[in-house]
Amino acid sequence: MMFSNIVILTGAGISAESGLQTFRASDGLWEGHRVEDVATPEAFARNPALVHQFYDARRERLGEVEPNAAHVALARLDAEWPGELLIVTQNVDDLHERAGAQRLLHMHGELTSGWCLGCNARFGWSEAMGEAAQCPACETVGRVRPDIVWFGEMPYQMERIEAALMDADLFVSIGTSGAVYPAAGFVQTAAYCGAHTLEINLEPSQGSMFFAERRCGLAGEEVPKWVGEVLGYSDHSSPISL
Ligand code: OAD
């Protein structure tokens, strides 16, 4: 099969070996919290202090972790792949960009970004946010929230993602449980539009049956292996054949 346009979807599993917890642990909690207490607009309206505390802790944690071999391999693929490539991550950490990835999009927002509900500005944010955060654009205090897509909100850049999926001839999903839409449906869109589909995950995901090819294992091992295969076959000037 010939391909040159690659779309890669990543989830929490790709950052697990860096030391960041995945979302769906066996106890069903996110770092000890129920989803509806920390990841919905209603939770933020009800208890902004708790929501800020939750995301401030996760933002602080970024300073203690490093990209792993899977992030580094994808950054290398991004740098060396001559065709179209888009990494769509559901992760709100910054490990893909710290590894060097550039053709990257955060569909669920970023811990290192703030959003002012007063003036609608978005801006980089690296410290604790808290309820007393001041918007650097309009200077209003108390209306800045984490720039994270919560349950019930629309993921970012869906038009761009859908266009890339329709053009893709290879779709690869890495470290995601396939439990959250719309990301869980990307494999079907890509396959319907003619792409070869590959899942790399520790275990078969909920949507595993939609993939043409599956590789089970640690992202830190399987992703560098796969990237090596892809770049090894490429002559860097024309679409490759698998
Ligand atoms: P999940 O926690 O649901 O799934 C992580 C997946 O990674 C699981 O299928 C694990 O088996 C797999 N996994 C764990 N460690 C791995 C490793 N070392 N190598 C490979 N795979 C590994 O996380 P997501 O699918 O990313 O959304 O969750 C999707 C969305 O749910 C998140 O973006 C978040 C949450 O709601 C928002 O915050 C909007």
Side-chain angles (χ1 to χ4, degrees), residues 11-13 16-17 22-24 30 90-91 108 149 151 175-178 180 201-203 217-219:
E17 288 156 80
T22 57
F23 289 96
R24 287 170 186 78
W30 290 1
Q90 299 168 87
N91 298 345
H108 288 165
V149 176
F151 282 92
T176 175
S177 60
V180 174
N201 207 50
L202 198 55
E203 61 203 354
L218 293 169

mmCIF file with all atom_site columns, all heavy atoms in Angstrom, residues 11-13 16-17 22-24 30 90-91 108 149 151 175-178 180 201-203 217-219, ligand 1:
data_model
loop_
_atom_site.group_PDB
_atom_site.id
_atom_site.type_symbol
_atom_site.label_atom_id
_atom_site.label_alt_id
_atom_site.label_comp_id
_atom_site.label_asym_id
_atom_site.label_entity_id
_atom_site.label_seq_id
_atom_site.pdbx_PDB_ins_code
_atom_site.Cartn_x
_atom_site.Cartn_y
_atom_site.Cartn_z
_atom_site.occupancy
_atom_site.B_iso_or_equiv
_atom_site.pdbx_formal_charge
_atom_site.auth_seq_id
_atom_site.auth_comp_id
_atom_site.auth_asym_id
_atom_site.auth_atom_id
_atom_site.pdbx_PDB_model_num
ATOM   1   N N   . GLY A 1 11  ? -2.857  9.624  22.912 1.00 0.00 ? 11  GLY A N   1
ATOM   2   C CA  . GLY A 1 11  ? -3.619  9.786  24.148 1.00 0.00 ? 11  GLY A CA  1
ATOM   3   C C   . GLY A 1 11  ? -2.708  9.595  25.345 1.00 0.00 ? 11  GLY A C   1
ATOM   4   O O   . GLY A 1 11  ? -1.475  9.459  25.208 1.00 0.00 ? 11  GLY A O   1
ATOM   5   N N   . ALA A 1 12  ? -3.305  9.534  26.500 1.00 0.00 ? 12  ALA A N   1
ATOM   6   C CA  . ALA A 1 12  ? -2.552  9.523  27.758 1.00 0.00 ? 12  ALA A CA  1
ATOM   7   C C   . ALA A 1 12  ? -1.511  8.411  27.848 1.00 0.00 ? 12  ALA A C   1
ATOM   8   O O   . ALA A 1 12  ? -0.492  8.558  28.518 1.00 0.00 ? 12  ALA A O   1
ATOM   9   C CB  . ALA A 1 12  ? -3.530  9.409  28.922 1.00 0.00 ? 12  ALA A CB  1
ATOM   10  N N   . GLY A 1 13  ? -1.747  7.300  27.133 1.00 0.00 ? 13  GLY A N   1
ATOM   11  C CA  . GLY A 1 13  ? -0.816  6.179  27.190 1.00 0.00 ? 13  GLY A CA  1
ATOM   12  C C   . GLY A 1 13  ? 0.581   6.527  26.692 1.00 0.00 ? 13  GLY A C   1
ATOM   13  O O   . GLY A 1 13  ? 1.565   5.928  27.132 1.00 0.00 ? 13  GLY A O   1
ATOM   14  N N   . ALA A 1 16  ? 2.509   7.871  29.636 1.00 0.00 ? 16  ALA A N   1
ATOM   15  C CA  . ALA A 1 16  ? 2.534   7.062  30.868 1.00 0.00 ? 16  ALA A CA  1
ATOM   16  C C   . ALA A 1 16  ? 3.962   6.753  31.303 1.00 0.00 ? 16  ALA A C   1
ATOM   17  O O   . ALA A 1 16  ? 4.295   6.836  32.490 1.00 0.00 ? 16  ALA A O   1
ATOM   18  C CB  . ALA A 1 16  ? 1.748   5.763  30.649 1.00 0.00 ? 16  ALA A CB  1
ATOM   19  N N   . GLU A 1 17  ? 4.813   6.413  30.326 1.00 0.00 ? 17  GLU A N   1
ATOM   20  C CA  . GLU A 1 17  ? 6.193   6.059  30.692 1.00 0.00 ? 17  GLU A CA  1
ATOM   21  C C   . GLU A 1 17  ? 7.022   7.279  31.093 1.00 0.00 ? 17  GLU A C   1
ATOM   22  O O   . GLU A 1 17  ? 8.134   7.128  31.599 1.00 0.00 ? 17  GLU A O   1
ATOM   23  C CB  . GLU A 1 17  ? 6.859   5.305  29.532 1.00 0.00 ? 17  GLU A CB  1
ATOM   24  C CG  . GLU A 1 17  ? 6.301   3.901  29.381 1.00 0.00 ? 17  GLU A CG  1
ATOM   25  C CD  . GLU A 1 17  ? 6.479   3.385  27.962 1.00 0.00 ? 17  GLU A CD  1
ATOM   26  O OE1 . GLU A 1 17  ? 7.583   2.946  27.629 1.00 0.00 ? 17  GLU A OE1 1
ATOM   27  O OE2 . GLU A 1 17  ? 5.506   3.440  27.187 1.00 0.00 ? 17  GLU A OE2 1
ATOM   28  N N   . THR A 1 22  ? -2.476  7.888  33.373 1.00 0.00 ? 22  THR A N   1
ATOM   29  C CA  . THR A 1 22  ? -3.523  7.894  32.350 1.00 0.00 ? 22  THR A CA  1
ATOM   30  C C   . THR A 1 22  ? -4.843  8.251  33.036 1.00 0.00 ? 22  THR A C   1
ATOM   31  O O   . THR A 1 22  ? -4.908  8.360  34.263 1.00 0.00 ? 22  THR A O   1
ATOM   32  C CB  . THR A 1 22  ? -3.623  6.519  31.651 1.00 0.00 ? 22  THR A CB  1
ATOM   33  O OG1 . THR A 1 22  ? -3.872  5.533  32.649 1.00 0.00 ? 22  THR A OG1 1
ATOM   34  C CG2 . THR A 1 22  ? -2.346  6.184  30.913 1.00 0.00 ? 22  THR A CG2 1
ATOM   35  N N   . PHE A 1 23  ? -5.889  8.442  32.233 1.00 0.00 ? 23  PHE A N   1
ATOM   36  C CA  . PHE A 1 23  ? -7.159  8.903  32.817 1.00 0.00 ? 23  PHE A CA  1
ATOM   37  C C   . PHE A 1 23  ? -7.964  7.786  33.440 1.00 0.00 ? 23  PHE A C   1
ATOM   38  O O   . PHE A 1 23  ? -8.504  7.908  34.511 1.00 0.00 ? 23  PHE A O   1
ATOM   39  C CB  . PHE A 1 23  ? -8.014  9.592  31.742 1.00 0.00 ? 23  PHE A CB  1
ATOM   40  C CG  . PHE A 1 23  ? -7.451  10.911 31.354 1.00 0.00 ? 23  PHE A CG  1
ATOM   41  C CD1 . PHE A 1 23  ? -6.629  11.029 30.253 1.00 0.00 ? 23  PHE A CD1 1
ATOM   42  C CD2 . PHE A 1 23  ? -7.698  12.028 32.118 1.00 0.00 ? 23  PHE A CD2 1
ATOM   43  C CE1 . PHE A 1 23  ? -6.073  12.246 29.909 1.00 0.00 ? 23  PHE A CE1 1
ATOM   44  C CE2 . PHE A 1 23  ? -7.151  13.242 31.799 1.00 0.00 ? 23  PHE A CE2 1
ATOM   45  C CZ  . PHE A 1 23  ? -6.334  13.353 30.689 1.00 0.00 ? 23  PHE A CZ  1
ATOM   46  N N   . ARG A 1 24  ? -8.054  6.655  32.679 1.00 0.00 ? 24  ARG A N   1
ATOM   47  C CA  . ARG A 1 24  ? -8.969  5.622  33.117 1.00 0.00 ? 24  ARG A CA  1
ATOM   48  C C   . ARG A 1 24  ? -8.267  4.540  33.908 1.00 0.00 ? 24  ARG A C   1
ATOM   49  O O   . ARG A 1 24  ? -8.086  3.424  33.444 1.00 0.00 ? 24  ARG A O   1
ATOM   50  C CB  . ARG A 1 24  ? -9.725  5.062  31.917 1.00 0.00 ? 24  ARG A CB  1
ATOM   51  C CG  . ARG A 1 24  ? -10.723 6.105  31.482 1.00 0.00 ? 24  ARG A CG  1
ATOM   52  C CD  . ARG A 1 24  ? -11.421 5.907  30.205 1.00 0.00 ? 24  ARG A CD  1
ATOM   53  N NE  . ARG A 1 24  ? -12.193 7.126  29.984 1.00 0.00 ? 24  ARG A NE  1
ATOM   54  C CZ  . ARG A 1 24  ? -11.667 8.260  29.544 1.00 0.00 ? 24  ARG A CZ  1
ATOM   55  N NH1 . ARG A 1 24  ? -10.401 8.351  29.245 1.00 0.00 ? 24  ARG A NH1 1
ATOM   56  N NH2 . ARG A 1 24  ? -12.428 9.328  29.422 1.00 0.00 ? 24  ARG A NH2 1
ATOM   57  N N   . TRP A 1 30  ? -9.759  10.154 38.276 1.00 0.00 ? 30  TRP A N   1
ATOM   58  C CA  . TRP A 1 30  ? -8.613  10.865 37.730 1.00 0.00 ? 30  TRP A CA  1
ATOM   59  C C   . TRP A 1 30  ? -7.860  11.453 38.902 1.00 0.00 ? 30  TRP A C   1
ATOM   60  O O   . TRP A 1 30  ? -8.312  12.422 39.504 1.00 0.00 ? 30  TRP A O   1
ATOM   61  C CB  . TRP A 1 30  ? -9.040  12.022 36.857 1.00 0.00 ? 30  TRP A CB  1
ATOM   62  C CG  . TRP A 1 30  ? -9.658  11.620 35.577 1.00 0.00 ? 30  TRP A CG  1
ATOM   63  C CD1 . TRP A 1 30  ? -9.897  10.364 35.136 1.00 0.00 ? 30  TRP A CD1 1
ATOM   64  C CD2 . TRP A 1 30  ? -10.113 12.519 34.572 1.00 0.00 ? 30  TRP A CD2 1
ATOM   65  N NE1 . TRP A 1 30  ? -10.473 10.424 33.900 1.00 0.00 ? 30  TRP A NE1 1
ATOM   66  C CE2 . TRP A 1 30  ? -10.621 11.716 33.534 1.00 0.00 ? 30  TRP A CE2 1
ATOM   67  C CE3 . TRP A 1 30  ? -10.148 13.907 34.448 1.00 0.00 ? 30  TRP A CE3 1
ATOM   68  C CZ2 . TRP A 1 30  ? -11.144 12.279 32.396 1.00 0.00 ? 30  TRP A CZ2 1
ATOM   69  C CZ3 . TRP A 1 30  ? -10.666 14.457 33.319 1.00 0.00 ? 30  TRP A CZ3 1
ATOM   70  C CH2 . TRP A 1 30  ? -11.165 13.653 32.290 1.00 0.00 ? 30  TRP A CH2 1
ATOM   71  N N   . GLN A 1 90  ? -4.659  14.214 22.266 1.00 0.00 ? 90  GLN A N   1
ATOM   72  C CA  . GLN A 1 90  ? -5.731  14.501 23.239 1.00 0.00 ? 90  GLN A CA  1
ATOM   73  C C   . GLN A 1 90  ? -5.106  14.956 24.550 1.00 0.00 ? 90  GLN A C   1
ATOM   74  O O   . GLN A 1 90  ? -5.807  15.353 25.467 1.00 0.00 ? 90  GLN A O   1
ATOM   75  C CB  . GLN A 1 90  ? -6.550  13.237 23.508 1.00 0.00 ? 90  GLN A CB  1
ATOM   76  C CG  . GLN A 1 90  ? -7.246  12.681 22.292 1.00 0.00 ? 90  GLN A CG  1
ATOM   77  C CD  . GLN A 1 90  ? -7.778  11.272 22.571 1.00 0.00 ? 90  GLN A CD  1
ATOM   78  O OE1 . GLN A 1 90  ? -8.885  11.113 23.060 1.00 0.00 ? 90  GLN A OE1 1
ATOM   79  N NE2 . GLN A 1 90  ? -6.991  10.269 22.274 1.00 0.00 ? 90  GLN A NE2 1
ATOM   80  N N   . ASN A 1 91  ? -3.788  14.863 24.620 1.00 0.00 ? 91  ASN A N   1
ATOM   81  C CA  . ASN A 1 91  ? -3.110  15.164 25.889 1.00 0.00 ? 91  ASN A CA  1
ATOM   82  C C   . ASN A 1 91  ? -2.974  16.665 26.106 1.00 0.00 ? 91  ASN A C   1
ATOM   83  O O   . ASN A 1 91  ? -2.734  17.418 25.168 1.00 0.00 ? 91  ASN A O   1
ATOM   84  C CB  . ASN A 1 91  ? -1.730  14.514 25.912 1.00 0.00 ? 91  ASN A CB  1
ATOM   85  C CG  . ASN A 1 91  ? -1.822  13.007 25.828 1.00 0.00 ? 91  ASN A CG  1
ATOM   86  O OD1 . ASN A 1 91  ? -2.899  12.445 26.031 1.00 0.00 ? 91  ASN A OD1 1
ATOM   87  N ND2 . ASN A 1 91  ? -0.724  12.352 25.516 1.00 0.00 ? 91  ASN A ND2 1
ATOM   88  N N   . HIS A 1 108 ? -7.657  18.804 22.878 1.00 0.00 ? 108 HIS A N   1
ATOM   89  C CA  . HIS A 1 108 ? -8.312  18.981 24.183 1.00 0.00 ? 108 HIS A CA  1
ATOM   90  C C   . HIS A 1 108 ? -7.691  20.107 25.007 1.00 0.00 ? 108 HIS A C   1
ATOM   91  O O   . HIS A 1 108 ? -7.870  20.157 26.224 1.00 0.00 ? 108 HIS A O   1
ATOM   92  C CB  . HIS A 1 108 ? -8.266  17.664 24.983 1.00 0.00 ? 108 HIS A CB  1
ATOM   93  C CG  . HIS A 1 108 ? -9.190  16.608 24.440 1.00 0.00 ? 108 HIS A CG  1
ATOM   94  N ND1 . HIS A 1 108 ? -9.117  15.279 24.794 1.00 0.00 ? 108 HIS A ND1 1
ATOM   95  C CD2 . HIS A 1 108 ? -10.216 16.699 23.547 1.00 0.00 ? 108 HIS A CD2 1
ATOM   96  C CE1 . HIS A 1 108 ? -10.064 14.597 24.147 1.00 0.00 ? 108 HIS A CE1 1
ATOM   97  N NE2 . HIS A 1 108 ? -10.733 15.428 23.383 1.00 0.00 ? 108 HIS A NE2 1
ATOM   98  N N   . VAL A 1 149 ? -10.308 21.549 27.198 1.00 0.00 ? 149 VAL A N   1
ATOM   99  C CA  . VAL A 1 149 ? -11.665 21.205 26.733 1.00 0.00 ? 149 VAL A CA  1
ATOM   100 C C   . VAL A 1 149 ? -12.282 20.259 27.751 1.00 0.00 ? 149 VAL A C   1
ATOM   101 O O   . VAL A 1 149 ? -11.783 19.151 27.959 1.00 0.00 ? 149 VAL A O   1
ATOM   102 C CB  . VAL A 1 149 ? -11.599 20.543 25.338 1.00 0.00 ? 149 VAL A CB  1
ATOM   103 C CG1 . VAL A 1 149 ? -12.988 20.087 24.892 1.00 0.00 ? 149 VAL A CG1 1
ATOM   104 C CG2 . VAL A 1 149 ? -10.992 21.502 24.321 1.00 0.00 ? 149 VAL A CG2 1
ATOM   105 N N   . PHE A 1 151 ? -15.687 18.128 29.490 1.00 0.00 ? 151 PHE A N   1
ATOM   106 C CA  . PHE A 1 151 ? -16.832 17.356 28.995 1.00 0.00 ? 151 PHE A CA  1
ATOM   107 C C   . PHE A 1 151 ? -17.989 18.317 28.719 1.00 0.00 ? 151 PHE A C   1
ATOM   108 O O   . PHE A 1 151 ? -18.272 19.199 29.516 1.00 0.00 ? 151 PHE A O   1
ATOM   109 C CB  . PHE A 1 151 ? -17.229 16.272 29.990 1.00 0.00 ? 151 PHE A CB  1
ATOM   110 C CG  . PHE A 1 151 ? -16.297 15.099 29.897 1.00 0.00 ? 151 PHE A CG  1
ATOM   111 C CD1 . PHE A 1 151 ? -15.172 15.013 30.697 1.00 0.00 ? 151 PHE A CD1 1
ATOM   112 C CD2 . PHE A 1 151 ? -16.515 14.093 28.954 1.00 0.00 ? 151 PHE A CD2 1
ATOM   113 C CE1 . PHE A 1 151 ? -14.291 13.949 30.584 1.00 0.00 ? 151 PHE A CE1 1
ATOM   114 C CE2 . PHE A 1 151 ? -15.642 13.028 28.823 1.00 0.00 ? 151 PHE A CE2 1
ATOM   115 C CZ  . PHE A 1 151 ? -14.527 12.959 29.640 1.00 0.00 ? 151 PHE A CZ  1
ATOM   116 N N   . GLY A 1 175 ? -1.758  4.886  22.299 1.00 0.00 ? 175 GLY A N   1
ATOM   117 C CA  . GLY A 1 175 ? -1.970  5.132  23.723 1.00 0.00 ? 175 GLY A CA  1
ATOM   118 C C   . GLY A 1 175 ? -3.278  5.804  24.087 1.00 0.00 ? 175 GLY A C   1
ATOM   119 O O   . GLY A 1 175 ? -3.325  6.636  24.972 1.00 0.00 ? 175 GLY A O   1
ATOM   120 N N   . THR A 1 176 ? -4.340  5.402  23.412 1.00 0.00 ? 176 THR A N   1
ATOM   121 C CA  . THR A 1 176 ? -5.646  5.967  23.778 1.00 0.00 ? 176 THR A CA  1
ATOM   122 C C   . THR A 1 176 ? -6.681  4.851  23.893 1.00 0.00 ? 176 THR A C   1
ATOM   123 O O   . THR A 1 176 ? -6.652  3.888  23.121 1.00 0.00 ? 176 THR A O   1
ATOM   124 C CB  . THR A 1 176 ? -6.093  7.088  22.803 1.00 0.00 ? 176 THR A CB  1
ATOM   125 O OG1 . THR A 1 176 ? -7.415  7.522  23.153 1.00 0.00 ? 176 THR A OG1 1
ATOM   126 C CG2 . THR A 1 176 ? -6.061  6.647  21.360 1.00 0.00 ? 176 THR A CG2 1
ATOM   127 N N   . SER A 1 177 ? -7.588  4.993  24.872 1.00 0.00 ? 177 SER A N   1
ATOM   128 C CA  . SER A 1 177 ? -8.533  3.922  25.174 1.00 0.00 ? 177 SER A CA  1
ATOM   129 C C   . SER A 1 177 ? -9.695  3.863  24.190 1.00 0.00 ? 177 SER A C   1
ATOM   130 O O   . SER A 1 177 ? -10.464 2.913  24.209 1.00 0.00 ? 177 SER A O   1
ATOM   131 C CB  . SER A 1 177 ? -9.085  4.109  26.591 1.00 0.00 ? 177 SER A CB  1
ATOM   132 O OG  . SER A 1 177 ? -9.740  5.355  26.672 1.00 0.00 ? 177 SER A OG  1
ATOM   133 N N   . GLY A 1 178 ? -9.839  4.900  23.358 1.00 0.00 ? 178 GLY A N   1
ATOM   134 C CA  . GLY A 1 178 ? -10.952 4.909  22.412 1.00 0.00 ? 178 GLY A CA  1
ATOM   135 C C   . GLY A 1 178 ? -12.289 5.054  23.121 1.00 0.00 ? 178 GLY A C   1
ATOM   136 O O   . GLY A 1 178 ? -13.327 4.614  22.629 1.00 0.00 ? 178 GLY A O   1
ATOM   137 N N   . VAL A 1 180 ? -13.434 8.164  24.337 1.00 0.00 ? 180 VAL A N   1
ATOM   138 C CA  . VAL A 1 180 ? -13.975 9.524  24.298 1.00 0.00 ? 180 VAL A CA  1
ATOM   139 C C   . VAL A 1 180 ? -14.104 10.017 22.857 1.00 0.00 ? 180 VAL A C   1
ATOM   140 O O   . VAL A 1 180 ? -13.124 10.044 22.112 1.00 0.00 ? 180 VAL A O   1
ATOM   141 C CB  . VAL A 1 180 ? -13.070 10.483 25.124 1.00 0.00 ? 180 VAL A CB  1
ATOM   142 C CG1 . VAL A 1 180 ? -13.527 11.926 24.985 1.00 0.00 ? 180 VAL A CG1 1
ATOM   143 C CG2 . VAL A 1 180 ? -13.078 10.075 26.599 1.00 0.00 ? 180 VAL A CG2 1
ATOM   144 N N   . ASN A 1 201 ? -1.025  0.227  21.236 1.00 0.00 ? 201 ASN A N   1
ATOM   145 C CA  . ASN A 1 201 ? -1.556  0.431  22.588 1.00 0.00 ? 201 ASN A CA  1
ATOM   146 C C   . ASN A 1 201 ? -1.132  -0.737 23.475 1.00 0.00 ? 201 ASN A C   1
ATOM   147 O O   . ASN A 1 201 ? -0.852  -1.831 22.991 1.00 0.00 ? 201 ASN A O   1
ATOM   148 C CB  . ASN A 1 201 ? -3.099  0.520  22.532 1.00 0.00 ? 201 ASN A CB  1
ATOM   149 C CG  . ASN A 1 201 ? -3.680  1.347  23.656 1.00 0.00 ? 201 ASN A CG  1
ATOM   150 O OD1 . ASN A 1 201 ? -3.237  2.462  23.889 1.00 0.00 ? 201 ASN A OD1 1
ATOM   151 N ND2 . ASN A 1 201 ? -4.656  0.820  24.361 1.00 0.00 ? 201 ASN A ND2 1
ATOM   152 N N   . LEU A 1 202 ? -1.123  -0.473 24.777 1.00 0.00 ? 202 LEU A N   1
ATOM   153 C CA  . LEU A 1 202 ? -0.735  -1.512 25.730 1.00 0.00 ? 202 LEU A CA  1
ATOM   154 C C   . LEU A 1 202 ? -1.645  -2.726 25.641 1.00 0.00 ? 202 LEU A C   1
ATOM   155 O O   . LEU A 1 202 ? -1.218  -3.862 25.829 1.00 0.00 ? 202 LEU A O   1
ATOM   156 C CB  . LEU A 1 202 ? -0.789  -0.907 27.136 1.00 0.00 ? 202 LEU A CB  1
ATOM   157 C CG  . LEU A 1 202 ? -0.049  -1.610 28.252 1.00 0.00 ? 202 LEU A CG  1
ATOM   158 C CD1 . LEU A 1 202 ? 1.416   -1.797 27.894 1.00 0.00 ? 202 LEU A CD1 1
ATOM   159 C CD2 . LEU A 1 202 ? -0.161  -0.793 29.547 1.00 0.00 ? 202 LEU A CD2 1
ATOM   160 N N   . GLU A 1 203 ? -2.919  -2.456 25.359 1.00 0.00 ? 203 GLU A N   1
ATOM   161 C CA  . GLU A 1 203 ? -3.933  -3.521 25.279 1.00 0.00 ? 203 GLU A CA  1
ATOM   162 C C   . GLU A 1 203 ? -4.902  -3.117 24.165 1.00 0.00 ? 203 GLU A C   1
ATOM   163 O O   . GLU A 1 203 ? -4.922  -1.944 23.788 1.00 0.00 ? 203 GLU A O   1
ATOM   164 C CB  . GLU A 1 203 ? -4.679  -3.612 26.622 1.00 0.00 ? 203 GLU A CB  1
ATOM   165 C CG  . GLU A 1 203 ? -5.393  -2.315 26.927 1.00 0.00 ? 203 GLU A CG  1
ATOM   166 C CD  . GLU A 1 203 ? -5.686  -2.083 28.397 1.00 0.00 ? 203 GLU A CD  1
ATOM   167 O OE1 . GLU A 1 203 ? -5.440  -2.987 29.199 1.00 0.00 ? 203 GLU A OE1 1
ATOM   168 O OE2 . GLU A 1 203 ? -6.186  -0.997 28.713 1.00 0.00 ? 203 GLU A OE2 1
ATOM   169 N N   . GLY A 1 217 ? 1.741   -3.231 23.123 1.00 0.00 ? 217 GLY A N   1
ATOM   170 C CA  . GLY A 1 217 ? 3.002   -3.102 23.843 1.00 0.00 ? 217 GLY A CA  1
ATOM   171 C C   . GLY A 1 217 ? 3.167   -1.695 24.371 1.00 0.00 ? 217 GLY A C   1
ATOM   172 O O   . GLY A 1 217 ? 2.267   -0.845 24.241 1.00 0.00 ? 217 GLY A O   1
ATOM   173 N N   . LEU A 1 218 ? 4.308   -1.447 24.982 1.00 0.00 ? 218 LEU A N   1
ATOM   174 C CA  . LEU A 1 218 ? 4.605   -0.125 25.526 1.00 0.00 ? 218 LEU A CA  1
ATOM   175 C C   . LEU A 1 218 ? 4.893   0.850  24.392 1.00 0.00 ? 218 LEU A C   1
ATOM   176 O O   . LEU A 1 218 ? 5.653   0.526  23.468 1.00 0.00 ? 218 LEU A O   1
ATOM   177 C CB  . LEU A 1 218 ? 5.837   -0.207 26.438 1.00 0.00 ? 218 LEU A CB  1
ATOM   178 C CG  . LEU A 1 218 ? 5.686   -1.003 27.732 1.00 0.00 ? 218 LEU A CG  1
ATOM   179 C CD1 . LEU A 1 218 ? 7.050   -1.235 28.389 1.00 0.00 ? 218 LEU A CD1 1
ATOM   180 C CD2 . LEU A 1 218 ? 4.761   -0.248 28.693 1.00 0.00 ? 218 LEU A CD2 1
ATOM   181 N N   . ALA A 1 219 ? 4.316   2.043  24.500 1.00 0.00 ? 219 ALA A N   1
ATOM   182 C CA  . ALA A 1 219 ? 4.550   3.055  23.462 1.00 0.00 ? 219 ALA A CA  1
ATOM   183 C C   . ALA A 1 219 ? 6.042   3.352  23.328 1.00 0.00 ? 219 ALA A C   1
ATOM   184 O O   . ALA A 1 219 ? 6.549   3.535  22.213 1.00 0.00 ? 219 ALA A O   1
ATOM   185 C CB  . ALA A 1 219 ? 3.784   4.338  23.807 1.00 0.00 ? 219 ALA A CB  1
HETATM 186 P P1  . OAD B 2 .   ? -7.128  6.744  28.808 1.00 0.00 ? 1   OAD B P1  1
HETATM 187 O O1  . OAD B 2 .   ? -6.577  6.788  30.183 1.00 0.00 ? 1   OAD B O1  1
HETATM 188 O O2  . OAD B 2 .   ? -8.583  6.566  28.640 1.00 0.00 ? 1   OAD B O2  1
HETATM 189 O O3  . OAD B 2 .   ? -6.424  5.577  27.997 1.00 0.00 ? 1   OAD B O3  1
HETATM 190 C C1  . OAD B 2 .   ? -5.045  5.392  27.976 1.00 0.00 ? 1   OAD B C1  1
HETATM 191 C C2  . OAD B 2 .   ? -4.736  4.175  27.137 1.00 0.00 ? 1   OAD B C2  1
HETATM 192 O O4  . OAD B 2 .   ? -3.322  4.051  27.069 1.00 0.00 ? 1   OAD B O4  1
HETATM 193 C C3  . OAD B 2 .   ? -5.265  2.856  27.698 1.00 0.00 ? 1   OAD B C3  1
HETATM 194 O O5  . OAD B 2 .   ? -5.909  2.113  26.654 1.00 0.00 ? 1   OAD B O5  1
HETATM 195 C C4  . OAD B 2 .   ? -4.022  2.119  28.191 1.00 0.00 ? 1   OAD B C4  1
HETATM 196 O O6  . OAD B 2 .   ? -4.095  0.720  28.009 1.00 0.00 ? 1   OAD B O6  1
HETATM 197 C C5  . OAD B 2 .   ? -2.953  2.696  27.275 1.00 0.00 ? 1   OAD B C5  1
HETATM 198 N N1  . OAD B 2 .   ? -1.602  2.715  27.864 1.00 0.00 ? 1   OAD B N1  1
HETATM 199 C C6  . OAD B 2 .   ? -1.239  2.881  29.151 1.00 0.00 ? 1   OAD B C6  1
HETATM 200 N N2  . OAD B 2 .   ? 0.090   2.887  29.287 1.00 0.00 ? 1   OAD B N2  1
HETATM 201 C C7  . OAD B 2 .   ? 0.603   2.707  28.047 1.00 0.00 ? 1   OAD B C7  1
HETATM 202 C C8  . OAD B 2 .   ? 1.925   2.625  27.510 1.00 0.00 ? 1   OAD B C8  1
HETATM 203 N N3  . OAD B 2 .   ? 2.994   2.730  28.285 1.00 0.00 ? 1   OAD B N3  1
HETATM 204 N N4  . OAD B 2 .   ? 2.065   2.451  26.172 1.00 0.00 ? 1   OAD B N4  1
HETATM 205 C C9  . OAD B 2 .   ? 0.973   2.333  25.371 1.00 0.00 ? 1   OAD B C9  1
HETATM 206 N N5  . OAD B 2 .   ? -0.289  2.416  25.804 1.00 0.00 ? 1   OAD B N5  1
HETATM 207 C C10 . OAD B 2 .   ? -0.478  2.608  27.116 1.00 0.00 ? 1   OAD B C10 1
HETATM 208 O O7  . OAD B 2 .   ? -6.616  8.073  28.085 1.00 0.00 ? 1   OAD B O7  1
HETATM 209 P P2  . OAD B 2 .   ? -7.132  8.753  26.727 1.00 0.00 ? 1   OAD B P2  1
HETATM 210 O O8  . OAD B 2 .   ? -7.599  7.720  25.769 1.00 0.00 ? 1   OAD B O8  1
HETATM 211 O O9  . OAD B 2 .   ? -6.077  9.679  26.296 1.00 0.00 ? 1   OAD B O9  1
HETATM 212 O O10 . OAD B 2 .   ? -10.189 14.268 27.735 1.00 0.00 ? 1   OAD B O10 1
HETATM 213 O O11 . OAD B 2 .   ? -8.358  9.582  27.233 1.00 0.00 ? 1   OAD B O11 1
HETATM 214 C C11 . OAD B 2 .   ? -9.055  10.363 26.298 1.00 0.00 ? 1   OAD B C11 1
HETATM 215 C C12 . OAD B 2 .   ? -9.604  11.599 26.938 1.00 0.00 ? 1   OAD B C12 1
HETATM 216 O O12 . OAD B 2 .   ? -10.363 11.212 28.084 1.00 0.00 ? 1   OAD B O12 1
HETATM 217 C C13 . OAD B 2 .   ? -8.586  12.534 27.524 1.00 0.00 ? 1   OAD B C13 1
HETATM 218 O O13 . OAD B 2 .   ? -7.984  13.382 26.572 1.00 0.00 ? 1   OAD B O13 1
HETATM 219 C C14 . OAD B 2 .   ? -9.407  13.331 28.472 1.00 0.00 ? 1   OAD B C14 1
HETATM 220 C C15 . OAD B 2 .   ? -10.311 12.267 29.039 1.00 0.00 ? 1   OAD B C15 1
HETATM 221 O O14 . OAD B 2 .   ? -11.600 12.632 29.156 1.00 0.00 ? 1   OAD B O14 1
HETATM 222 C C16 . OAD B 2 .   ? -10.389 15.498 28.244 1.00 0.00 ? 1   OAD B C16 1
HETATM 223 O O15 . OAD B 2 .   ? -9.829  15.903 29.232 1.00 0.00 ? 1   OAD B O15 1
HETATM 224 C C17 . OAD B 2 .   ? -11.341 16.299 27.454 1.00 0.00 ? 1   OAD B C17 1
#
